[in-house]
Every structure is written in C-alpha cells, then in structure tokens.
Amino acid sequence: MRLAIISDIHGNLEALEQVFKRIEAEKVSRIVCLGDVVGYGPFPGECIRRIRTAAEILILGNHDDAVIGRTDVRDFNVHARAAVRWTREVLTEEDRAELAIYRIDADLGDVHLVHGSPASPRMWDYILSPVDARPNFSAFAGRICFIGHTHSAAVFEMDEDQIVQSRRVTRELILSSHSRYIINVGSVGQPRDSNPDAAFAFYDDERARVEFVRVAYDVSKTQAAMEKAGLPHFLIKRLQLGH
Ligand code: ZN
C-alpha cells in the first residue's frame, strides 16, 4: 500500500492543487486527509468539494468542527475566529453537511489516522514533544499514527524499550521494525516551520518508508484571494513566511 497523507489544507486551493499534481505523478493507492480542510484560507467550499472526490478517508479537524458550530470558537485566537465566521458565511448547506460526516479517527491496516492526538481526539490536544507523545502510544494499536494539527512535520518514535524520542524530519524516514511511531505530516495550506511550501507525506508499507514532501505553489495568488475576501492581514502575511 502506498498512501498519500494530507492535512491542514485550510481553504488554500492553490496549494492543494499543486499537492494533487505531485500525488498524481506518483503511484499512490489511496489519499487520506487528516482534517482542517477549511478555516484561514479563501476557498473553503472548493477545497471541501475537491477533497471529497480525491480522498478516501476524511478525518475531522478542529476548524472543520468549529465551522459547523460544534467546537466553540472561544477556544480560537482572534484571527482564527474571524476566519471561522467568514467561512461559515461562504459555505453552502451541502458543504457544511459534508464537514459534519468527517470521522474523528480511522484505522487503515496498521495505520491510525487522527487530526490532533489519538488519546483525546475531541480535545484537540497538540503533540509537540516526546512528553506529549508518550501517553498517546497506548491509544492506538497499530504501528504508526499519522497526525496533523500543529502545521509542522514531526516524528516521535517509541523503541522496544518504550523510550519515546523525537527524530529530526528529513526527506526520508525508514521505519524500524522494532519501533512504533507518531508522525505529523505538516500542513498543505498553512505551514508553520518557516518554509511556505505545502507539506504532506507518502507512506509505503512494503518498503517501511515515509517520505516528507514539500511542494511550492503561488502564495501570492492565495494572498490576493484572501485580501479580496477581507480575511485578517495577519493570516495573509504569515503564508509567505511559513509560520
Ligand atoms: Zn489546522
């Protein structure tokens, strides 16, 4: 099985289209999406519709949940809140119904899929360190859990002695047969690791290999559309900085 794992698109259609181009060029059996299809960006409805046809498994993110009124926007910062309100206004009834059927988590063979954390998927906790990651390893049965949510790629490895360590993210990760992993694939539509290029990952279970991919896209196009939509300036600026 060769899997493309995308997350945190955040209404950035321009970034998503470039990512799909790259995925189409590879032999991928399935595309899965780890949530936050909407919020922040200027094309939420278009992203929902594009992903509905392309991805086989759709996981719910906190922004998706907030847009349909289930997660409280008071937990969001002022810019995110403004974007959630704007997104609510532009989505159709059908788009909102689509968000409402996204799954909180899923399993695909040896792979667990969730937006934020396997231990408390509805709390939207962030896994940022080995200390955060540690208790999450007992919350899924398989070999790997793929996550998004922080907008930065990360690898947490638990070895045979149950020691959890953070591994530096390089282009390629070869999985050890003695370890289990929590792997963050980064964000398609709003990366926060000081690199504005869209981020996602491929997973090949036969080769036990994860490839972290970056794809350049026309950031200024997304920014112009955000400007036109009247989205917060802070959100427009951060795209080109990648944070
Ligand atoms: Zn997000």
Side-chain angles (χ1 to χ4, degrees):
M1 175 178 71
R2 192 160 151 73
L3 204 60
I5 306 131
I6 63 172
S7 190
D8 296 273
I9 294 89
H10 285 292
N12 190 339
L13 186 65
E14 195 60 30
L16 182 64
E17 291 299 354
Q18 293 309 316
V19 164
F20 278 147
K21 262 187 207 162
R22 178 65 198 271
I23 292 173
E24 275 156 27
E26 310 265 341
K27 283 202 178 93
V28 166
S29 0
R30 286 162 159 163
I31 301 175
V32 298
C33 175
L34 301 183
D36 278 4
V37 172
V38 302
Y40 299 134
F43 296 110
E46 288 82 349
C47 288
I48 289 172
R49 281 162 245 148
R50 190 73 173 84
I51 282 173
R52 175 173 44 208
T53 51
E56 195 164 320
I57 296 177
L58 291 155
I59 301 295
L60 181 76
N62 53 322
H63 286 253
D64 308 321
D65 209 41
V67 162
I68 55 173
R70 292 191 306 211
T71 282
D72 197 336
V73 283
R74 279 175 297 187
D75 298 340
F76 285 44
N77 70 48
V78 60
H79 307 296
R81 216 181 302 158
V84 164
R85 294 208 176 103
W86 179 86
T87 303
R88 272 182 195 155
E89 280 167 30
V90 299
L91 288 188
T92 65
E93 196 67 45
E94 217 180 17
D95 294 334
R96 282 194 294 271
E98 177 69 17
L99 293 178
I101 59 166
Y102 285 6
R103 298 158 69 173
I104 193 70
D105 54 21
D107 290 288
L108 191 61
D110 223 10
V111 169
H112 188 68
L113 305 166
V114 68
H115 183 65
S117 79
S120 52
R122 289 183 193 279
M123 297 301 292
W124 313 116
D125 289 338
Y126 292 90
I127 299 179
L128 295 162
S129 68
V131 173
D132 298 337
R134 183 97 185 59
N136 280 280
F137 276 96
S138 51
F140 64 101
R143 183 183 193 188
I144 314 174
C145 172
F146 284 105
I147 60 170
H149 195 37
T150 69
H151 297 207
S152 289
V155 176
F156 301 101
E157 177 176 358
M158 179 187 257
D159 66 17
E160 54 213 312
D161 299 320
Q162 313 261 300
I163 307 289
V164 178
Q165 279 179 314
S166 171
R167 295 266 306 266
R168 205 166 70 85
V169 175
T170 52
R171 204 176 83 84
E172 180 184 71
L173 170 72
I174 300 295
L175 305 175
S176 157
S177 56
H178 305 291
S179 295
R180 297 174 68 225
Y181 296 87
I182 294 175
I183 297 176
N184 192 318
V185 298
S187 167
V188 168
Q190 197 203 73
R192 293 181 194 159
D193 59 353
S194 305
N195 176 355
D197 294 348
F200 72 102
F202 290 116
Y203 169 55
D204 186 325
D205 66 346
E206 276 154 42
R207 297 169 67 198
R209 178 179 185 267
V210 176
E211 182 187 355
F212 293 94
V213 185
R214 300 309 287 257
V215 176
Y217 73 97
D218 190 345
V219 175
S220 67
K221 254 190 180 173
T222 299
Q223 289 178 311
M226 289 173 82
E227 200 94 54
K228 212 171 148 202
L231 284 158
H233 191 71
F234 169 81
L235 297 178
I236 298 173
K237 191 83 187 153
R238 77 186 302 180
L239 281 188
Q240 81 205 53
L241 306 169
H243 78 70

